[in-house]
Amino acid sequence: MRTRQLIDLENTRRERRWLEKNHPLRQLFWECTLRCNLSCRHCGSDCRKISATPDMPLDHFLKVLDDVATMTAPNRVLVNTVGGEPLVRPDIVECGKAITDRGFSWGTVTNGVLLTEDMLSKLLDAGLRTIAVSLDGLEAEHNWLRGNSFDATISSVKLLVRTKGLLWDIITCVSQRNFSTLPQLKQYLIDIGVKKWRIFTIFPQGRAKLNSELFLSPEQYVELMDFIVETRKQGDIDLSYSCEGFLGDYEGEVRSHIYRCDAGTMTASVLANGDISGCMSIRSHYAQGNIYRDSFSDVWNNRFEQMRNRRWLKRDECARCKAWDWCAGGPFHLRGDEGEMLHCNYLTICKSR
């Protein structure tokens, strides 16, 4: 590793320790629905058009926000409405306005199918600050993963390109189906005016466990990292890789920051059933409480020990790993219910070389 990289890694390790001790809440996800207008092959939530779990009533979540406001200034917390597909909620505009009126910043993640010009205008009037749209390849690849939705999604992306003053980006989940077409997808995004692009790799949770075509080989994974590095050097589009764990020599090269899992230290989630957890990517059971029996602020301030003291994860391969001080066991969404490692991208890189 380079000297600069080692310094950045050490600084991030110190920041993580400070965050574990002080845990300032900065991002709160609200799983406002488990309903979805699509049925994607890789859905970690296994969302369906008709969900057995009803949408959480807005006033129930607003009580959480009022509680959050007793421990931190609302303008320091970004509230992200996620799902399912948030735009299937008939009151999503009302939800956004209520969040904004309480002084919180508000964002959402969407598949873009329902993001018409009229809907976007209403969301902006309700205070929408950030939005991420999922686009998983060119037409054939996207439609294979998400159903016949490419045209509607692209229409929403082009709408965002014309919108001023809104922070937004494109999210792409990479699988074996779209891996070879990433250079063409990159050029397509550049040509239509996309400035920010995030790439995720798919992990075996939810519906994704059922299809091996969704997972890259170790050789493909390393090739993907090299693609991201080269794209970032070219500078035609701001591409970054998701928070899929410590990446060794790729740290500082595929993201604008060094890896750090903020689940339980800066990031929390309120799930559709009221459970309080870390980030929304976590699909194993790490609920720390429930808003229907616990105070959110009490849970945030006094629980989350599993995520703030990770020594219990230092076992098996992690116990022998030279990267432990920087990785601290990786992201919780790649851990099972008992803390067992489901996948490690750092080991994937090491074993492919």
Side-chain angles (χ1 to χ4, degrees), residues 140-325:
E141 293 76 29
H142 177 91
N143 285 345
W144 174 82
L145 194 64
R146 291 183 172 269
N148 191 25
S149 59
F150 179 82
D151 289 343
T153 300
I154 286 300
S155 293
S156 70
V157 172
K158 292 180 178 179
L159 181 61
L160 292 173
V161 169
R162 302 193 299 269
T163 302
K164 306 297 182 184
L166 179 66
L167 297 175
W168 64 277
D169 66 354
I170 297 299
I171 293 174
T172 298
C173 291
V174 177
S175 68
Q176 292 196 35
R177 279 294 185 112
N178 63 9
F179 176 75
S180 64
T181 62
L182 287 176
Q184 291 89 345
L185 176 60
K186 177 182 74 173
Q187 191 57 53
Y188 179 77
L189 294 177
I190 293 170
D191 289 345
I192 64 175
V194 174
K195 303 298 183 184
K196 294 181 71 65
W197 184 24
R198 270 185 293 163
I199 278 180
F200 286 68
T201 42
I202 301 169
F203 51 95
Q205 292 278 57
R207 202 177 297 155
K209 290 188 292 187
L210 305 176
N211 195 328
S212 61
E213 285 187 87
L214 296 173
F215 313 122
L216 300 181
S217 69
E219 294 75 21
Q220 287 173 322
Y221 187 81
V222 171
E223 190 175 339
L224 175 63
M225 295 299 103
D226 291 336
F227 170 80
I228 296 173
V229 171
E230 182 59 28
T231 299
R232 289 174 62 84
K233 287 179 180 178
Q234 291 169 352
D236 297 319
I237 188 170
D238 182 3
L239 174 60
S240 63
Y241 183 52
S242 61
C243 53
E244 299 297 307
F246 179 74
L247 301 174
D249 290 342
Y250 288 109
E251 285 301 324
E253 301 292 329
V254 296
R255 295 177 285 238
S256 58
H257 61 277
I258 299 296
Y259 163 76
R260 186 184 70 214
C261 179
D262 289 337
T265 59
M266 295 180 72
T267 299
S269 300
V270 174
L271 306 187
N273 66 354
D275 279 350
I276 302 168
S277 186
C279 88
M280 276 302 305
S281 293
I282 299 174
R283 287 297 153 191
S284 298
H285 190 71
Y286 285 101
Q288 306 296 303
N290 188 286
I291 65 168
Y292 294 114
R293 63 173 184 268
D294 303 303
S295 157
F296 178 91
S297 59
D298 179 63
V299 171
W300 180 253
N301 288 322
N302 300 304
R303 302 189 194 177
F304 284 94
E305 181 68 12
Q306 286 177 306
M307 299 180 191
R308 294 172 186 167
N309 183 349
R310 291 168 169 251
R311 286 192 295 272
W312 69 284
L313 297 175
K314 194 173 183 180
R315 63 196 203 213
D316 304 323
E317 289 187 277
C318 286
R320 302 183 294 272
C321 184
K322 63 182 181 181
W324 170 264
D325 284 346

Side-chain angles (χ1 to χ4, degrees), residues 1-55:
M1 288 188 177
R2 304 180 308 278
T3 301
R4 179 70 258 176
Q5 190 179 40
L6 289 169
I7 292 172
D8 290 342
L9 287 168
E10 183 60 20
N11 287 339
T12 300
R13 184 181 66 84
R14 291 173 180 173
E15 288 172 2
R16 188 183 72 245
R17 288 183 174 179
W18 186 90
L19 291 171
E20 289 168 351
K21 179 180 178 180
N22 296 281
H23 45 267
L25 183 65
R26 292 294 177 264
Q27 185 163 217
L28 177 61
F29 289 96
W30 176 30
E31 190 178 50
C32 64
T33 183
L34 280 176
R35 293 179 297 123
C36 189
N37 54 335
L38 299 181
S39 183
C40 304
R41 295 174 186 264
H42 64 315
C43 182
S45 304
D46 198 17
C47 298
R48 304 182 185 280
K49 291 183 179 180
I50 300 175
S51 172
T53 303
D55 295 355

